[in-house]
C-alpha cells in the first residue's frame, strides 16, 4: 500500500510525506520538503552587511526577529563589537515576544484542530469561542510588544547592526509590561489546555540540542548543549554539525558529526534548561508532572510552558529597562574584513548564521542553518517509528497521525529551504 | 447571504502574508462570517485547490514552472485575483537572485543542481492578469481589508497611489534624506506603511516597491551627488525592486553614467 500525503497543511511551507507499506511492514518513508528554494545564501553574496538583517528577515514570516538577531550578532562578532547590556535586554524582549506569538499560533491554529478531529480553526470557532478569544488576547499582546520596539510585528525595522535606531518611551514599556502581567492567567489556561491534549505514545532517543545559559533561559547565545553531553561554544558549531544535501528534498539535512540525528526546539530547551525557567512556569509545569521527556508530541506542551515563562520574563525585562536617550542604544563600530557566526534559539529551535565580509562591508560568503534543517532527520526517523508502531491503523487515521507528528515538531519548511 | 469562496495560494516566499492573513487582528469574526475558506494551506486541511473562487489571494514570487501552470489554473477559476505582498506584487526579495547569472547563485547554495528546477523569479502579473495589488512586506491591514471589502461590495478597490514622502509629511517627520543625509527611498516608494522607517530614524528601504511613474533615475542622481558609491546605489534599487521597470531605469542610468 502506498500513501502519499501530497501536502501537509497547517505548517509553514511546503512538504509531503510518501510511504509504502508491504505485507504489514513499512518499506519506505520520505519527508519530501518541496518548498521552492529562494537562494538566500547565494544572493546575499555581493550585498552590503547593513542590508543583511532586512533581507534575512524575509526568510521567515513567523520568526523574522530570530533571523535578524542572528545575522546582526554574527556581524557584530565579525566586527568585534559587544552590545551593551540594555541592547541585549531589548533583543531578548523582541525574541520572547516572537516566541510567544509563534507558539500561540502553532498551538491554537496549527496543532489544536487535530485533537478534536477538525480540519481548521474555522471549524473550531463555534465550539471553542472562549479558547479562540484567549488566543487572540495573548497573540495581540505579544505582537504589540514586537511592534512597540520594532515598528511592526512582522519584519521589524528598528533592529540594525550596532543596536536600535529608536526605542520606545518608559511610559509605553510600563504599560506593555502591565498588559502582559494581566494575561498571566490566560497563559496558565493555555498550559492547562495543552496538558489535556491526548498524544500518541512515541519514544525518541535523539540527542536533544539547545543553547544553554548560566542562570538564564538562553535565547540569544549561550553554550551549545545536548542531552548526550555536548557542551561547546558558538564559534565551534561548524566543527560539530554537518549539513548535507538530500536528493528528494530542497532542504538540506543537518546532523551531529559521528553522532547522527538531533532534535531542536521547545522540548529540547525544556529538557536542557528546565532549571532556568522562572519559578512560576517551573512550578506550573511540575504540578502537571512535566519536566521534559523524549516523546516529540510533548513539544506542544513544552511550548505552552514556554508561553508562561516568556510572558513573565518579557514583563520583567520591560520593567527593568532604563530607556534614556536613543544614542545609548546604538554603538559605533568599524567595518573590517573578517568572518563571524552566531546562534540563537528561534521559536522552533537553534538557528545558525555565518558570514564572511570584505573590507568594504560586502558579503563574500553566507551560510544559514535553520531549526527545521536540524530536525529534518529526526522528524523522518520519528515518522518511521510512528508508522511502524501503528501499522494496523486504518489509512485515514495513520495519515492524521503522521500529520500530527509533523506539526508537533512545529517545522518551518520555508526557513529550512530559504 | 452566501459566503464568498476564498482561496489563498503560496509560492516562493516566507509565508508571512498567509500568517498575516490568518491572524486578522480585530476583524476575525467579520472575515469568518463573510468568506468560505475553500483553500488556505496554513489554516486548513483538505482544501479544494481547484476552486472555483470568488476571490483568490496569491503570495510569493513565481520561481518554478509548476507554479506558472497552477497560477493560470487559479486565474481561470477565480472571479477576482489579488497579488498580496511584495514577492507577488513586484518579485520582492527573491528577485535579487536575477541580479547575478542564475547558475552562479544556485551553485553557491547546492553542489548538486540536478534536482533544482528554478526559473527566473518574476511577480505574479508577469503571467496572469491581476485585479489588485496588496502591497508591502508585510502588507498593512488597511489594504487587505480594502481588497476584501471591495469584492464583498462589488466595487473597485482603492489603494494608495502616492509616495512614502506624502505619509512622512502628514506625520510631520523631519526629512531624513534632506536633513540627515540618509539615502532614503521614500520619494520613489509606494505609500501604505505610514512612513514607518523614517519615523524610526532610518531611511526607507522600499519594501513596498516602486510607486507608479516614480522618477527613480532622479533619486539615483541625488544619491550620487551625496557621495554614495555606484555599487551602493545599485543595491538600493535592487533590494526589493530588482524585477521592476521603474527601478531598473535607475540601475541602467547609474551604469551608463
Amino acid at each position: 500500500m502506498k500513501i502519499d500525503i501530497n501536502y501537509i497543511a497547517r505548517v509553514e511551507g511546503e512538504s509531503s510525506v510518501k510511504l509504502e507499506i508491504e505485507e504489514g511492514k513499512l518499506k519506505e518513508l520520505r519527508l519530501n520538503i518541496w518548498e521552492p528554494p529562494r537562494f538566500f545564501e547565494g544572493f546575499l553574496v555581493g550585498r552590503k552587511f547593513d542590508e543583511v538583517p532586512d533581507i534575512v528577515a524575509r526568510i521567515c514570516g513567523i520568526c523574522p526577529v530570530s533571523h535578524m538577531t542572528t545575522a546582526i550578532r554574527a556581524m557584530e562578532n565579525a566586527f568585534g563589537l559587544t552590545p551593551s547590556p540594555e541592547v541585549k535586554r531589548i533583543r531578548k524582549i523582541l525574541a520572547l515576544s516572537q516566541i510567544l506569538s509563534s507558539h500561540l499560533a502553532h498551538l491554537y491554529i496549527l496543532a489544536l484542530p487535530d485533537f478534536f478531529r477538525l480540519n481548521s480553526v474555522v471549524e473550531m470557532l463555534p465550539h471553542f469561542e472562549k479558547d479562540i478569544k484567549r488566543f487572540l488576547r495573548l497573540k495581540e499582546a505579544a505582537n504589540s510588544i514586537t511592534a512597540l520596539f520594532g515598528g511592526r510585528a512582522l519584519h521589524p525595522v528598528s533592529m540594525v547592526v550596532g543596536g536600535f535606531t529608536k526605542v520606545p518611551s518608559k511610559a509605553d514599556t510600563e504599560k506593555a509590561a502591565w498588559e502582559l502581567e494581566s494575561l498571566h492567567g490566560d497563559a496558565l489556561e493555555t498550559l492547562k489546555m495543552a496538558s489535556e491534549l491526548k498524544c500518541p505514545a512515541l519514544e525518541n532517543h535523539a540527542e536533544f540540542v539547545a543553547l544553554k545559559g548560566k542562570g538564564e533561559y538562553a535565547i540569544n547565545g549561550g553554550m551549545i548543549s545536548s542531552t548526550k553531553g555536548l557542551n561547546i561554544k558558538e564559534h565551534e558549531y561548524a566543527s560539530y554539525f554537518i549539513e548535507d544535501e538530500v536528493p528528494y528534498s530542497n532542504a538540506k539535512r543537518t546532523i551531529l558529526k559521528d553522532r547522527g540525528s538531533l532534535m531542536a526546539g521547545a522540548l529540547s530547551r525544556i529538557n536542557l534548561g528546565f532549571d532556568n525557567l522562572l519559578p512560576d512556569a517551573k512550578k506550573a509545569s511540575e504540578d502537571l508532572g512535566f519536566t521534559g521527556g523524549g516523546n516529540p508530541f510533548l513539544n506542544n506542551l513544552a511550548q505552552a510552558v514556554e508561553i508562561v515563562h516568556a510572558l513573565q520574563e518579557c514583563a520583567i525585562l520591560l520593567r527593568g529597562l532604563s530607556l534614556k536617550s536613543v544614542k545609548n542604544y546604538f554603538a559605533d563600530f568599524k567595518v573590517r574584513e573578517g568572518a563571524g557566526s552566531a546562534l540563537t534559539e528561534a521559536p522552533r529551535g537553534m538557528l545558525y548564521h555565518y558570514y564572511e565580509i570584505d573590507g568594504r562591508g560586502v558579503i563574500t560568503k553566507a551560510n544559514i542553518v535553520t531549526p527545521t534543517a536540524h530536525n529534518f532527520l529526526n522528524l523522518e526517523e520519528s515518522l518511521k517509528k510512528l508508522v511502524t508502531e501503528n501499522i494496523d491503523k486504518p489509512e485515514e487515521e495513520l495519515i492524521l497521525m503522521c500529520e500530527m507528528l509533523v506539526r508537533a515538531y512545529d517545522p518551518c519548511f520555508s526557513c529550512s529551504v530559504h | 447571504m452566501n459566503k464568498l469562496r476564498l482561496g489563498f495560494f503560496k509560492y516562493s516566499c516566507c509565508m508571512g502574508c498567509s500568517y498575516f492573513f490568518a491572524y486578522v487582528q480585530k476583524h476575525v469574526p467579520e472575515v469568518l462570517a463573510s468568506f468560505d475558506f475553500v483553500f488556505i494551506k496554513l489554516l486548513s486541511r483538505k482544501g479544494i485547490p481547484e476552486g472555483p473562487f470568488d476571490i483568490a489571494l496569491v503570495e510569493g514570487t513565481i520561481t518554478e514552472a509548476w507554479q506558472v501552470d497552477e497560477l493560470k489554473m487559479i486565474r481561470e477559476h477565480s472571479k477576482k485575483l489579488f497579488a498580496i505582498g511584495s514577492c507577488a506584487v513586484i518579485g520582492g526579495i527573491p528577485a535579487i537572485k536575477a541580479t547575478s547569472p542564475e547558475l552562479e547563485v544556485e551553485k553557491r547554495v547546492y553542489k548538486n543542481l540536478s534536482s533544482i528546477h528554478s526559473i527566473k523569479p518574476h511577480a505574479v502579473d508577469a503571467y496572469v492578469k491581476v485585479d489588485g495589488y496588496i502591497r508591502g512586506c508585510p502588507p498593512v491591514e488597511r489594504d487587505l481589508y480594502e481588497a476584501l471589502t471591495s469584492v464583498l461590495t462589488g466595487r473597485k478597490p482603492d489603494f494608495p497611489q502616492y509616495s512614502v514622502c506624502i505619509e512622512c509629511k502628514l506625520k510631520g517627520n523631519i526629512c531624513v534624506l534632506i536633513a540627515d543625509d540618509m539615502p532614503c527611498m521614500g520619494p520613489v516608494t509606494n505609500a501604505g506603511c505610514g512612513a514607518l522607517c523614517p519615523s524610526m530614524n532610518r531611511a526607507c528601504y522600499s519594501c513596498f516597491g516602486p510607486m507608479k511613474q516614480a522618477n527613480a533615475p532622479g533619486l539615483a542622481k541625488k544619491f550620487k551627488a551625496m557621495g554614495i558609491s555606484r555599487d551602493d546605489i545599485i543595491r538600493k534599487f535592487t533590494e526589493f525592486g530588482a524585477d521592476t521597470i521603474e527601478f531598473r531605469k535607475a540601475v541602467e542610468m547609474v551604469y551608463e553614467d
Side-chain angles (χ1 to χ4, degrees):
Chain A
M1 177 177 64
K2 279 186 183 174
I3 298 178
D4 182 359
I5 311 173
N6 63 8
Y7 78 84
I8 309 276
R10 301 207 322 271
V11 294
E12 207 201 352
E14 312 278 18
S15 68
S16 56
V17 173
K18 289 183 202 310
L19 58 101
E20 200 176 338
I21 296 171
E22 218 176 73
E23 290 163 13
K25 275 202 174 120
L26 176 68
K27 202 178 149 208
E28 203 183 1
L29 182 146
R30 280 176 173 187
L31 173 67
N32 176 3
I33 304 177
W34 52 275
E35 173 79 25
R38 287 168 290 160
F39 305 97
F40 273 83
E41 291 148 321
F43 65 64
L44 278 169
V45 172
R47 307 305 295 193
K48 201 81 171 270
F49 79 94
D50 55 1
E51 294 177 292
V52 175
D54 300 327
I55 292 175
V56 296
R58 272 72 185 187
I59 289 174
C60 182
I62 300 188
C63 63
V65 169
S66 300
H67 283 286
M68 294 181 90
T69 310
T70 316
I72 288 169
R73 288 194 54 240
M75 277 177 287
E76 288 176 350
N77 287 341
F79 298 149
L81 169 72
T82 312
S84 71
E86 186 106 326
V87 163
K88 282 188 184 170
R89 248 173 258 143
I90 298 180
R91 284 183 186 161
K92 194 165 188 188
I93 290 171
L94 277 159
L96 289 167
S97 69
Q98 187 196 251
I99 283 179
L100 279 171
S101 61
S102 173
H103 285 4
L104 286 162
H106 173 249
L107 275 177
Y108 282 92
I109 57 178
L110 306 187
L112 202 57
D114 292 329
F115 293 91
F116 305 101
R117 299 293 184 270
L118 296 171
N119 289 318
S120 76
V121 71
V122 183
E123 293 174 13
M124 283 184 62
L125 198 67
H127 321 284
F128 296 87
E129 209 190 325
K130 244 172 85 182
D131 301 280
I132 304 299
K133 280 195 171 147
R134 185 190 319 121
F135 160 68
L136 289 173
R137 274 197 300 276
L138 285 162
K139 183 76 166 58
E140 201 170 332
N143 278 5
S144 66
I145 301 285
T146 323
L148 178 64
F149 287 89
R152 59 186 173 197
L154 255 181
H155 306 325
V157 303
S158 67
M159 309 172 75
V160 293
V161 179
F164 290 89
T165 58
K166 193 176 179 184
V167 289
S169 71
K170 188 77 188 153
D172 285 343
T173 53
E174 286 290 331
K175 190 169 157 267
W178 180 84
E179 267 167 25
L180 287 183
E181 285 155 0
S182 73
L183 293 172
H184 186 60
D186 280 345
L188 289 174
E189 273 296 309
T190 304
L191 176 58
K192 190 169 159 272
M193 178 192 83
S195 73
E196 285 161 2
L197 303 174
K198 284 207 172 51
C199 295
L202 181 67
E203 261 319 300
N204 173 21
H205 299 289
E207 190 160 356
F208 288 88
V209 182
L211 297 176
K212 203 172 172 185
K214 269 198 196 120
E216 72 163 335
Y217 200 70
I219 303 290
N220 293 332
M223 295 292 281
I224 307 169
S225 312
S226 84
T227 46
K228 292 185 182 165
L230 188 73
N231 191 37
I232 57 168
K233 293 199 172 102
E234 270 184 313
H235 65 84
E236 295 174 289
Y237 175 91
S239 342
Y240 286 83
F241 291 80
I242 312 170
E243 203 185 12
D244 242 329
E245 288 172 26
V246 184
Y248 54 83
S249 162
N250 289 336
K252 292 178 195 171
R253 193 158 67 187
T254 301
I255 59 163
L256 267 161
K257 201 185 270 178
D258 304 326
R259 299 155 86 118
S261 72
L262 62 131
M263 184 168 172
L267 186 58
S268 299
R269 291 192 289 261
I270 294 284
N271 280 338
L272 286 150
F274 189 79
D275 288 339
N276 287 332
L277 286 170
L278 290 174
D280 282 3
K282 209 159 135 183
K283 183 167 180 306
S285 190
E286 277 166 346
D287 288 350
L288 295 168
F290 174 64
T291 56
N295 185 346
F297 283 106
L298 288 173
N299 197 43
N300 291 330
L301 185 55
Q303 289 193 346
V305 174
E306 283 194 338
I307 288 174
V308 178
H309 169 87
L311 196 84
Q312 203 172 18
E313 194 183 1
C314 209
I316 293 170
L317 289 169
L318 282 165
R319 293 241 185 250
L321 290 176
S322 64
L323 298 171
K324 281 172 194 136
S325 135
V326 70
K327 288 194 183 75
N328 301 330
Y329 299 91
F330 185 79
D332 263 331
F333 56 89
K334 245 199 152 126
V335 174
R336 65 179 192 206
E337 191 183 332
S341 65
L343 283 133
T344 65
E345 283 291 337
R348 283 88 179 262
M350 216 166 64
L351 169 66
Y352 172 76
H353 278 227
Y354 171 82
Y355 299 99
E356 285 173 20
I357 308 167
D358 73 12
R360 295 165 303 147
V362 176
I363 305 297
T364 54
K365 196 173 179 191
N367 191 28
I368 295 162
V369 187
T370 71
T372 302
H374 286 127
N375 282 331
F376 187 173
L377 181 59
N378 189 246
L379 172 52
E380 215 171 47
E381 287 170 350
S382 293
L383 278 167
K384 284 179 186 165
K385 206 149 189 223
L386 183 77
V387 173
T388 306
E389 286 172 11
N390 295 281
I391 206 125
D392 300 327
K393 293 247 163 67
E395 190 178 329
E396 259 309 291
E397 186 67 19
L398 204 56
I399 289 175
L400 182 64
M401 281 178 98
C402 285
E403 288 189 33
M404 283 171 80
L405 180 62
V406 174
R407 286 192 268 273
Y409 274 80
D410 195 11
C412 176
F413 297 115
S414 302
C415 271
S416 74
V417 179
H418 55 269
Chain B
M1 189 182 89
N2 272 348
K3 288 188 179 187
L4 295 184
R5 294 170 63 87
L6 183 142
F8 202 116
F9 292 85
K10 172 201 173 286
Y11 295 119
S12 304
C13 64
C14 77
M15 216 175 186
C17 294
S18 287
Y19 188 58
F20 165 75
F21 178 79
Y23 173 60
V24 272
Q25 298 258 342
K26 291 172 185 115
H27 305 269
V28 175
E30 290 86 341
V31 171
L32 291 183
S34 313
F35 293 97
D36 185 5
F37 292 79
V38 178
F39 187 82
I40 171 163
K41 277 185 191 173
L42 188 66
L43 277 187
S44 188
R45 288 176 91 214
K46 299 191 172 172
I48 308 160
E50 296 84 11
F53 304 106
D54 293 299
I55 174 168
L57 296 166
V58 179
E59 70 170 329
T61 314
I62 305 300
T63 70
E64 290 189 355
W66 66 268
Q67 297 171 335
V68 180
D69 301 340
E70 194 184 89
L71 185 62
K72 286 178 181 167
M73 188 264 299
I74 299 162
R75 178 66 269 189
E76 250 174 62
H77 296 170
S78 308
K79 283 187 192 151
K80 295 282 174 199
L81 186 149
F82 286 85
I84 178 167
S86 289
C87 293
V89 173
I90 49 166
I93 291 281
I96 298 176
K97 183 187 171 221
T99 58
S100 305
E102 187 151 295
L103 274 179
E104 217 172 90
V105 178
E106 296 183 356
K107 270 186 190 157
R108 287 188 199 126
V109 184
Y110 295 99
K111 284 188 272 265
N112 178 7
L113 290 176
S114 62
S115 58
I116 302 298
H117 307 291
S118 292
I119 57 174
K120 200 165 178 262
H122 282 308
V124 167
D125 66 5
Y127 299 102
V128 295
K129 181 180 167 276
V130 170
D131 296 301
Y133 299 92
I134 307 166
R135 293 169 174 276
C137 183
V140 289
E141 286 196 35
R142 187 247 169 231
D143 291 355
L144 177 60
Y145 291 112
E146 180 56 25
L148 296 179
T149 48
S150 75
V151 176
L152 280 170
T153 54
R155 62 173 168 77
K156 258 186 122 179
D158 176 26
F159 298 112
Q161 303 272 354
Y162 42 86
S163 75
V164 169
C165 286
I166 307 287
E167 293 184 315
C168 229
K169 297 290 166 287
L170 285 170
K171 267 190 148 177
N173 289 339
I174 292 170
C175 179
V176 296
L177 176 67
I178 303 298
D180 300 327
D181 263 347
M182 288 187 195
C184 185
M185 294 287 283
V188 293
T189 299
N190 204 91
C193 65
L196 185 63
C197 286
S199 307
M200 301 287 283
N201 306 326
R202 59 171 292 189
C204 162
Y205 59 94
S206 202
C207 69
F208 273 58
M211 170 187 71
K212 257 197 191 137
Q213 295 170 342
N215 181 6
L219 187 64
K221 264 184 207 151
K222 161 81 183 156
F223 288 166
K224 200 176 164 225
M226 286 160 66
I228 297 168
S229 77
R230 194 186 79 155
D231 288 354
D232 281 349
I233 297 173
I234 290 170
R235 278 191 281 262
K236 289 269 159 217
F237 288 94
T238 53
E239 191 176 339
F240 275 86
D243 193 35
T244 65
I245 296 163
E246 292 89 344
F247 285 2
R248 211 175 304 140
K249 280 182 192 159
V251 173
E252 277 163 16
M253 196 275 301
V254 177
Y255 270 126
E256 281 162 14
D257 221 19

